[in-house]
Amino acid sequence: MKRMPREGIDADTILRTLADLRGDDVQWRDGRAFSLVYHAGDDLSSFVKQAYTTYFSENALNPSAFPSLRRMEAEVVSMAADMLGGDENVVGNLTSGGTESILMAVKTAREWGRVHRRALRGGGRPKMVLPASAHPAFDKAAHYFGVRAVRVPVAKDLRACVWRMSRAVDRKTVLVVGSAPSYPHGVVDPIEDLARMAKRKGVLMHVDACIGGFMLPFVRALGRPVPPFDFSVEGVTSMSADVHKFGYAAKGASLVLHRDAEQRKHQYFATTDWSGGLYASPTMTGTRPGGAVAAAWAVMHRLGFEGYVKLAGPVMETTDRIRAGVESIEELEVLGDPTMCILGIASDTLDVYVVADHMQARGWHLDRQQFPATLHLTVNPAHVPVAGQFVDDLRESVRLSAREPADRWKERAKYAALNATLRVLPSRLVSKLTDVASRRMGLGGSDLPQQSAPMYGMMAALPNRGDLRKLVIDALDGMTTYEPGAKIPIDEEPRSS
Ligand SMILES: *Cc1c(COP(=O)(O)O)cnc(C)c1O
C-alpha cells in the first residue's frame, strides 16, 4: 500500500512532479489526440482558468448561499436554450458532464412515464428505444435506473432507422433517443422524423447534442447545411449539450434542457425527513464545483456567438482537408455523410486497427471503433496546423499496413471487432489485456503480439460478449488499483517551510 507522507512535501517539488508526469500523457496540445480534449488555444484556456479559480471554492449545491452561481447557471441555460431553438419555457440545469445530463434525461422520462403511461402505473419496467450508435451513457442510465434500453440497428447511412425504432416502441416505452450528431460517425439522426414518431406515440424524445450542441449552430452560421435537430423541432422534449466540449469551458460542465418546467420536475430529488434539514438537489451530484459554473458562464460571454463561429470555420475547413485526404487514399473511406467535424474511417481491404497501430507509432491517438471497424476522429482547433502531416502519416501507415502479410492472429481470431468499452482503456493496459485474452484462448506467452491490432482480434473472438465484458471489468479493476511498481517518484524528504 502507499502511505501518505508523514510530513508534507514542499510545494515546488510537488508541482514539478505534476508537470513531469504530464509528459507521459497524450500530447493533445500538438493535435495528437482526436477525442477527450477540446483546445481553442492557450489564451482562451488561461482566461477560462482565471474564471474557474475565481470560484474555486464555491459550491453550487446550495443556491441560497451562492446566489451568484444560481444566476450564472440560469443564464448559461437560457443562452443555450435560445441557441438551440428553445423558447422561454425551456428550462434546464448544468451538470458535471454529458453522462450526467443523459442520466437526468432518462430519469426524468422514467418518472414521467410512471405518471403518464397507463401501462406503467401499476409498476413494470419502463423502456427506451435508441439507435445502436447512441452513446453508452444511455446504457449506464438504464443500468442505474432500471430502465430497459432497446437498441435498434441503424440504417445504411449509419443514421437511426425510424421505422425500426417505431416498431420497437410499445406501451411501456417512455423515451425515444436521437443523436445530433452520433459520436462514432458524426452523422445527425433524422430528428424531425423521430420526433414526429415519438409525438404520435405519445412518448418523450431526447436529442443527445452533447458534442453537437456547441458546434452545429455555428456550422449552420457558416452557411453549411445542418438539418433541424433542436427544440425548433416539435416533439423534441429534452436535449443534452456539453459546454466542456466545443463550448471550450472547463471540464465538468454540460447542460440538460427540458421543453418545460412541468417536465423538469420529474428530474428533481427532494427529501424532507433528514435530521440535517430539508434537502433538495436538481441533478445527480451533491456538491457542485462553482468553478465549472463560472467558467461556462465566462467562456460563453468571452467568445460570444460570433467568436464560436470564428473558431468553427478553421475546424470545418480542416475537417474538409482531412476528409479529402482520407478519400484520396484508395484503401480508405469516410463512412456516412458527417455533418460537422467528426469522421469515422473504414476500409474494405485493410485492417484499420493495424493502421491505427502504425499511426500510434507516429504519435497519433485514434479511437478504435467497431461494428463496423472504424477509426474515430473528432477534429478540434488543435488540428488546424497538423492536418497535412496527419494525412501524410495516414498514407504512410496505410502503405505499411497493406504490405503486412495476412497475419495469423487475424486468422486465428476470425476478426470482428472489439467492444467499444475498450476505447476508454489506455494503451498501457493493452498488454495486460492481451495477456489475459491469450491465456483464455490457450496461446503461449512467447507468441504474444506486441501491438494492439492482434489483441483486438483476439478479444473479438472470445466466445461471447459476456466473457469480454468480464475481461474489461477485470482490466478496469486493475487500472484503479495502486501498484507499487508504478509508484510516482517524488522526493519525500520533508523540507522546512
Ligand atoms: C461526449 C458525449 C457524451 C458523454 O459526455 P461526457 O461528458 O463524456 O460524460 C454523450 N453523448 C455524446 C454524443 C458525446 O459526444
Side-chain angles (χ1 to χ4, degrees):
M1 296 196 65
K2 168 148 175 151
R3 183 167 291 162
M4 197 191 310
R6 216 172 161 71
E7 314 263 348
I9 299 170
D10 75 274
D12 283 348
T13 305
I14 294 169
L15 294 176
R16 211 174 334 104
T17 303
L18 288 179
D20 289 350
L21 273 175
R22 294 174 88 197
D24 296 341
D25 296 344
V26 56
Q27 299 301 305
W28 51 267
R29 227 177 257 283
D30 305 332
R32 295 288 164 159
F34 286 91
S35 57
L36 301 171
V37 180
Y38 303 79
H39 183 56
D42 292 341
D43 287 350
L44 189 68
S45 37
S46 55
F47 166 77
V48 174
K49 280 179 205 170
Q50 275 183 45
Y52 193 102
T53 49
T54 306
Y55 275 81
F56 181 76
S57 303
E58 278 73 4
N59 189 342
L61 170 61
N62 188 336
S64 60
F66 300 106
S68 58
L69 289 172
R70 184 177 59 75
R71 288 163 67 196
M72 280 189 263
E73 177 172 3
E75 290 199 9
V76 169
V77 167
S78 185
M79 288 187 286
D82 174 55
M83 180 176 79
L84 295 171
D87 58 22
E88 58 284 345
N89 295 317
V90 170
V91 292
N93 293 92
L94 268 172
T95 68
S96 61
T99 300
E100 190 184 353
S101 294
I102 288 168
L103 290 174
M104 291 294 80
V106 174
K107 194 263 186 191
T108 300
R110 185 188 72 175
E111 307 298 308
W112 172 90
R114 285 175 177 166
V115 176
H116 295 280
R117 293 296 267 173
R118 190 167 300 137
L120 294 171
R121 277 187 204 149
R125 197 162 177 207
K127 170 172 153 183
M128 69 178 146
V129 176
L130 57 157
S133 54
H135 195 276
F138 290 98
D139 300 296
K140 200 178 202 178
H143 179 66
Y144 287 178
F145 298 135
V147 172
R148 190 153 82 90
V150 176
R151 286 200 175 250
V152 175
V154 293
K156 270 211 176 68
D157 61 5
L158 299 168
R159 302 191 311 150
C161 176
V162 182
W163 68 267
R164 280 205 200 103
M165 284 180 63
S166 169
R167 281 203 325 203
V169 173
D170 63 14
R171 293 178 319 129
K172 293 193 174 171
T173 303
V174 295
L175 185 67
V176 165
V177 173
S179 309
S182 74
Y183 181 84
H185 313 109
V187 296
V188 177
D189 287 330
I191 301 299
E192 280 184 302
D193 295 341
L194 284 173
R196 193 177 311 121
M197 181 270 283
K199 191 170 157 60
R200 188 162 42 82
K201 305 243 180 189
V203 301
L204 301 185
M205 154 93 196
H206 183 82
V207 173
D208 178 8
C210 276
I211 201 155
F214 279 80
M215 181 52 89
L216 292 174
F218 317 128
V219 171
R220 184 182 280 151
L222 287 166
R224 293 170 180 253
V226 172
F229 70 96
D230 56 17
F231 283 114
S232 64
V233 178
E234 200 185 333
V236 170
T237 55
S238 62
M239 291 187 74
S240 46
D242 292 352
V243 205
H244 67 195
K245 285 182 182 157
F246 286 107
Y248 305 114
K251 289 208 172 33
S254 168
L255 288 156
V256 56
L257 302 172
H258 296 277
R259 177 66 81 176
D260 59 45
E262 196 51 38
Q263 181 182 305
R264 179 173 60 167
K265 284 190 182 144
H266 298 294
Q267 176 186 301
Y268 290 154
F269 171 81
T271 177
T272 51
D273 304 329
W274 182 39
S275 50
L278 303 180
Y279 185 101
S281 150
T283 54
M284 296 286 290
T285 54
T287 292
R288 296 196 295 152
V293 178
W297 185 88
V299 73
M300 289 175 78
H301 282 82
R302 177 77 188 94
L303 287 172
F305 191 88
E306 287 306 325
Y308 280 114
V309 174
K310 236 187 219 147
L311 283 168
V315 168
M316 291 307 295
E317 283 153 25
T318 302
T319 307
D320 291 346
R321 274 180 72 196
I322 292 178
R323 186 171 176 177
V326 170
E327 282 166 352
S328 76
I329 300 171
E330 199 186 329
E331 292 88 344
L332 301 182
E333 62 174 320
V334 169
L335 292 188
D337 187 16
T339 303
M340 45 178 254
C341 51
I342 295 174
L343 305 174
I345 302 175
S347 176
D348 280 338
T349 53
L350 282 182
D351 183 340
V352 289
Y353 301 146
V354 175
V355 176
D357 284 344
H358 285 295
M359 288 300 275
Q360 190 140 345
R362 284 160 182 72
W364 303 98
H365 293 258
L366 300 167
D367 290 345
R368 293 154 171 91
Q369 307 187 130
Q370 59 176 353
F371 311 139
T374 42
L375 304 180
H376 173 101
L377 257 65
T378 298
V379 178
N380 75 58
H383 298 122
V384 175
V386 297
Q389 182 67 50
F390 175 81
V391 173
D392 289 348
D393 282 352
L394 188 62
R395 197 179 303 279
E396 177 63 9
S397 296
V398 164
R399 205 177 58 79
L400 291 171
S401 307
R403 281 201 335 208
E404 268 169 39
D407 72 64
R408 62 209 168 95
W409 298 105
K410 190 165 160 178
E411 290 287 11
R412 199 161 194 163
K414 287 195 222 82
Y415 238 92
L418 172 70
N419 191 306
T421 326
L422 283 174
R423 274 197 301 110
V424 303
L425 303 181
S427 52
R428 280 240 302 284
L429 211 85
V430 163
S431 62
K432 186 167 178 177
L433 281 168
T434 307
D435 195 41
V436 181
S438 307
R439 261 189 277 115
R440 290 209 182 181
M441 295 185 69
L443 302 176
S446 61
D447 290 342
L448 289 186
Q450 293 310 304
Q451 292 182 309
S452 64
M455 191 272 300
Y456 278 75
M458 283 195 295
M459 306 287 261
L462 284 172
N464 65 63
R465 305 307 279 181
D467 281 358
L468 181 54
R469 185 177 172 278
K470 192 165 174 307
L471 211 63
V472 172
I473 299 268
D474 284 353
L476 210 52
D477 215 34
M479 258 194 333
T480 49
T481 307
Y482 173 66
E483 286 176 54
K487 185 167 186 284
I488 296 169
I490 180 166
D491 173 14
E492 289 193 12
E493 289 306 305
R495 306 266 169 88
S496 51
S497 47

